[in-house]
Structures are given as C-alpha cells and as structure tokens.
Amino acid sequence: MDQGGRDGSAEEFLRDFAQLSTIGATPRGGVDREAATVRDGMARAWWGGWLASRGFAVHADAIGNQFGLLDLVPGAPYVLAGSHLDSQPTAGRLDGAYGVVAAGFAAHRVAAAARAGELRPTRNLAVVNWFNEEGSRFGPSMMGSAVFTGGLALDEALAATDPAGVGAREALDRIDARGAPGPLPVDSYAEIHIEQGRELEETGDRIGVVTGTWAARKFRFRVLGEQSHTGSTRMADRRDALLGASLLVVEARALADRFADGPLHTAVSRLDVRPNSPVVVASEVRANLDLRSPDPAVLDAAVERVRAVAARVEAEHGLRVELEPTHSWDRNDYQPECVAVSERVCAELGLAARRMLTVAGHDSTNMSAVVPTVMLFVPSREGISHNEREDTAPEDLVAGVDVLTGVVRELVTAPGGPGTWTSARMASTG
Ligand code: GLV
Ligand code: MN
Ligand code: MN
C-alpha cells in the first residue's frame, strides 16, 4: 500500500489517519472493527506495514498485542506508547486508533531527532496496538494490556467467547494475530486519546492531562422466571423474567439520580431475552450492569442498593436474580511526575492544559499499575463517543500528536528513573 511521504508532518498524520479510517468504514463516517474480526485484521496489517516502512521491528505477543520496536540504545528498556485499533460495533474512527497512530508518529519523530543528533536517548522506543481494549466482542475490556501487565491470565483471556461462541484464541488465530510470548522491559508508558466527554470543549483548554481514573464495577446479571403464554396465562401466574430485568434497568437509572453528587454513572446496555418470541413470556434474561464513580464508597453503596432491589424483585415477582461481578477497577492515580512532564510539554508548546480524571477506562489504567504512565486527552466535539459521529478538530488532533511527541522525547532522554519493569513471560497451555 502506498503510504506516501514520511516526514512526520501534520499533513502526513492527517492523511495516514484518514487512510486507516477507510478500513471497516461505516456509511455514517465511523468504523466497525471489533476485536479480532477480519476488519480488525486489516487494520492491524495496515498498521504493521506503516511501522515496518519506518524501520520499526514488528511483532505480536501471545494475546495479540501488536508492537513496533525502534532500538536506539542497545540493551536499554523501552518507552512504550500506544492505544488500540479495535472498535465498538458501530463506533467513531478516533477512539483508540487516534492514539495508536499518534504514538507511531511521536516515536518516528523522536527517533529521527535522535539519529540527527538533536537529542541523546537513554531508552528505546516501542509503539503498541493493544488487543481488545473495547471488550464488546470478548470480555473483559482492556484485555491485552491486562494480560501484558499480569492482571489477567493469558489462558483465561484466550478462553473468552463472543456471542456466537467463537473463542478469542480461535478468532486471533484466524487473522494470524498471535505471536510468540516474550518479555518486554518497559520503563514508562504514554497514551493519548479523545476525551469522550465535554469538559475540554466547555473550558476551551486544548489538552487534558489526566491525573486519575474513575473506579468501575461491571456485572453480568441473570433473571430467571418461567416461560408461559403471553395471552392465556393468568397475570397472577406469571414469572416474567423480562419484567424483572426491566425493573433493574429502571433502578440503575434511578441510582444515578440518587447519587447525583457522587457522582455515579450507570447503564444496562445489553439484554439477551430468552426465548425472545412475541408470544412467550420470557423465561430468562441475561444483561450487564456498568457502574462508574470517582468515589469507591459510592460504588459500594450503589452495589448494595442493586442487591437489595434484586432481592425485592425476586420476592415480588417469583423470579431468581443472579448478579455476577465480571470486571472492576479501582480509582487510581497517574504518577505526579508524569502529570508534571505533560504540563511542561504543553507549556512549551503554548497549549492550555487542564488536569482532569478519565471516566472511561483505558489501557493506561492497567499500565499505570506497573510503570510511570502519562495519559493525555484532546477535545471531543460535543463529548460524543461510542458513536459514528465522534469527532475532534484536525488542529486539536495535530496539537495532541505534538504534545505526545514532546512527552515521548522527555521520557526517552530521562536520566535515571524509578527502574525498569519487565512484562511477564506469558505462559499458555497452547
Ligand atoms: C473501557 O473499556 C471502559 O469500559 O471504559
Ligand atoms: Mn478507547
Ligand atoms: Mn471505546
């Protein structure tokens, strides 16, 4: 594929990003590239080509994280930068993909400056496209970075199945995305992402310097009733699983109002109704529940309230409700020295920066547990995300690449450091 000039310019960035956005493009200007689908495979192939053409050594690890390595200092640890190319089913083109391409440009520019003798690197450079950040096809989200950082066992991740019963291992192998397990010594991590909220747009700041992550608790719930005739069964005899699930959906929304100052964000976003016939009272509903707050005490209180409502629904409607935790993360903070580096770079570039929390989870949430981690935002138009209309002004995209370049430059030339962390050798039974 002709990828044209390679000067690392803003025009080149916008041109290359537009080209990537044609892969899995949807009619309304978004993309559909769920993890380990053929379209994800095409995006990965395009990205592998982009990296190789600029001298990166490209490889994947055992969970399908795709790396590009640029060695500047033999034997030194890596400054890693990246995000994810996978998307929600009908998604915007920026969520994740922006951060991957921005990381490639930042690393390419810093390597060119090092080769030109303009800076003295003490670290090597690596770019990553994390596997399955979105968690829409295979759960949990942020899967590749969780395996990389040791928070999730490789075999458990590979055993995840999609709604059609296809396993992550099989799906990855179908697109030839799994490589050899191997440790990577990493010294720091940087990620840039669209904000997915309205804060920067409202304040007029150009860059969000993320200081911490909201906590999250995610559940799968099952409501079990009894299949019966929608017409002939007496109302008093019914054990309607869909009615029980609906009461929980409404309760989730009411909870967010109850803790409005918490604050608390809640959603039930997927329902699987069985047998899903217009003439049958549902026997079983499977659904998810997603709770987020910056305050873990609010989340604990919200979960307690959900359990109490589930018990009431069981008692009042002759149902059984099972609530199973599937994924959670705590409120955690990015290292202050990383916030300081980002603010210094923004000041040097004359860009107004704003400290903020991320409400969405990111792979940087996992990475910040093991190495000093920088997380940056660019503004999202109207805060729209997980929507094909997701958008960011081109000048903001380009400014973000410049900030990430400055950050990577600082990390790659940092004198000592808190030490190197080495990713686990990923053990798998096959
Ligand atoms: C990210 O994966 C999220 O759930 O926010
Ligand atoms: Mn994302
Ligand atoms: Mn997303």
Side-chain angles (χ1 to χ4, degrees):
M1 191 181 298
D2 176 23
Q3 290 172 328
R6 281 165 201 166
D7 56 2
S9 65
E11 297 69 35
E12 184 191 357
F13 172 80
L14 292 172
R15 183 200 68 207
D16 289 358
F17 192 77
Q19 194 175 60
L20 171 61
S21 305
T22 64
I23 302 173
T26 58
R28 292 188 188 150
V31 296
D32 180 352
R33 294 196 301 247
E34 280 194 282
T37 56
V38 170
R39 292 181 295 275
D40 184 31
M42 288 164 67
R44 294 169 65 99
W46 182 89
W47 184 237
W50 190 98
L51 290 168
S53 71
R54 283 155 181 84
F56 290 80
V58 182
H59 77 273
D61 69 12
I63 188 61
N65 296 317
Q66 185 184 23
F67 295 92
L69 308 186
L70 263 184
D71 283 5
L72 305 172
V73 185
Y78 290 85
V79 171
L80 183 63
S83 196
H84 59 97
L85 291 181
D86 73 308
S87 82
Q88 293 289 329
T90 42
R93 65 199 203 292
L94 295 167
D95 178 355
Y98 166 61
V100 174
V101 180
F105 270 78
H108 177 65
R109 288 175 179 179
V110 170
R115 290 190 188 113
E118 292 163 19
L119 56 90
R120 194 187 296 249
T122 57
R123 313 283 198 281
N124 290 311
L125 285 162
V127 171
V128 61
N129 161 28
W130 298 110
F131 172 63
N132 187 29
E133 192 279 343
E134 293 291 358
S136 56
R137 182 177 178 199
F138 302 105
S141 61
M142 307 182 304
M143 181 181 271
S145 56
V147 172
F148 185 78
T149 55
L152 177 65
L154 174 62
D155 282 337
E156 195 182 327
L158 291 172
T161 50
D162 72 5
V166 179
R169 182 194 305 265
E170 183 190 342
L172 279 164
D173 288 344
R174 278 189 200 162
I175 60 164
D176 199 21
R178 289 206 309 134
L184 186 73
V186 177
D187 183 81
S188 52
Y189 176 69
E191 178 163 352
I192 193 163
H193 202 279
I194 54 164
E195 181 197 336
Q196 306 175 283
R198 293 173 173 274
E199 204 171 317
L200 290 173
E201 195 176 65
E202 281 171 0
T203 61
D205 293 304
R206 300 288 304 284
I207 298 289
V209 175
V210 183
T211 58
T213 306
W214 277 33
R217 307 256 190 284
K218 299 186 186 183
F219 297 85
R220 182 180 303 127
F221 68 83
R222 269 202 330 155
V223 182
L224 298 155
E226 173 125 27
Q227 184 167 335
S228 58
H229 196 294
T230 50
S232 63
T233 310
R234 283 192 180 157
M235 293 309 286
D237 288 346
R238 298 181 186 208
R239 294 170 53 217
D240 184 346
L242 185 53
L243 173 64
S246 306
L247 291 167
L248 290 169
V249 172
V250 171
E251 175 58 23
R253 181 64 184 84
L255 258 183
D257 294 337
R258 178 180 288 259
F259 291 97
D261 297 336
L264 176 70
H265 289 185
T266 62
V268 175
S269 43
R270 180 141 97 185
L271 289 182
D272 175 8
V273 181
R274 300 177 183 198
N276 213 21
S277 158
V279 198
V280 178
V281 171
S283 56
E284 180 177 343
V285 175
R286 295 176 187 204
N288 75 307
L289 172 66
D290 185 332
L291 306 171
R292 319 262 180 138
S293 176
D295 182 349
V298 167
L299 283 182
D300 290 343
V303 171
E304 215 173 286
R305 168 92 192 157
V306 169
R307 289 194 193 283
V309 172
R312 202 186 66 217
V313 166
E314 285 185 317
E316 290 179 2
H317 299 280
L319 301 166
R320 202 164 92 229
V321 181
E322 296 168 355
L323 204 60
E324 179 199 348
T326 50
H327 193 199
S328 68
W329 58 88
D330 290 328
R331 155 84 207 236
N332 52 46
D333 293 329
Y334 294 91
Q335 292 80 359
E337 67 270 23
C338 293
V339 172
V341 167
S342 305
E343 289 179 334
R344 198 162 60 238
V345 170
C346 290
E348 278 164 14
L349 292 170
L351 294 166
R354 176 179 187 79
R355 291 188 182 194
M356 55 199 301
L357 296 175
T358 174
V359 182
H362 295 289
D363 294 302
S364 68
T365 311
N366 287 330
M367 286 304 289
S368 70
V370 296
V371 287
T373 293
V374 167
M375 184 73 207
L376 299 161
F377 281 162
V378 290
S380 287
R381 276 192 184 141
E382 295 171 43
I384 295 168
S385 190
H386 284 188
N387 182 312
E388 290 158 286
R389 291 192 296 120
E390 186 179 84
D391 202 10
T392 296
E395 56 273 25
D396 288 336
L397 294 175
V398 162
V401 179
D402 291 345
V403 174
L404 186 66
T405 304
V407 164
V408 168
R409 188 181 172 114
E410 293 257 343
L411 296 175
V412 141
T413 54
T420 302
W421 168 87
T422 301
S423 70
R425 182 167 287 280
M426 294 179 193
S428 165
T429 47

